[in-house]
Amino acid sequence: MAQQKDFKRDGTMSKAIAAAYVVAVLILMVAASRIGWLRCENFGCMGIGVAWFAWSMAFMPVLAVGAALRWRCALGPTLGKVVRVFLWAQVAVGVALLATWVARA
């Protein structure tokens, strides 16, 4: 009977999730930039509101993944620093957009 190899806990899954997190943050930043340039067409800018709602619904799970990676996973010095920088960048963008929304309301 063939023996199964033990799953090595070398952090491969954490590294893959960290890479996906970095890509997701970049996508969120590009999307925020593109949504910010949208202009009202009809129905009281409803399309822009829906776009921001969808963006915010994507923002929160990505933020949760980044926080979990930052505080629960051993990613090594280089990848850990990259995740930390992207986490703070995501928080900064979120706070800036929230402040902009409050100022315009």
Side-chain angles (χ1 to χ4, degrees):
M1 188 193 260
Q3 270 187 330
Q4 289 182 341
K5 291 184 178 182
D6 290 334
F7 178 73
K8 289 173 50 177
R9 295 185 181 263
D10 60 355
T12 304
M13 184 62 78
S14 294
K15 291 175 184 174
I17 294 171
Y21 169 72
V22 168
V23 170
V25 170
L26 290 173
I27 289 170
L28 282 171
M29 289 183 180
V30 169
S33 171
R34 300 297 295 169
I35 294 169
W37 285 102
L38 289 176
R39 297 289 174 233
C40 296
E41 290 182 7
N42 278 329
F43 304 110
C45 302
M46 187 172 168
I48 295 173
V50 170
W52 280 120
F53 178 75
W55 184 89
S56 66
M57 291 297 105
F59 179 86
M60 294 309 289
V62 172
L63 182 64
V65 168
L69 281 170
R70 172 67 179 95
W71 283 285
R72 301 295 267 164
C73 295
L75 298 172
T78 304
L79 192 55
K81 182 180 272 189
V82 170
V83 167
R84 186 172 54 247
V85 166
F86 272 81
L87 180 63
W88 284 113
Q90 184 184 4
V91 169
V93 167
V95 167
L97 289 173
L98 181 63
T100 302
W101 178 66
V102 169
R104 290 184 181 180

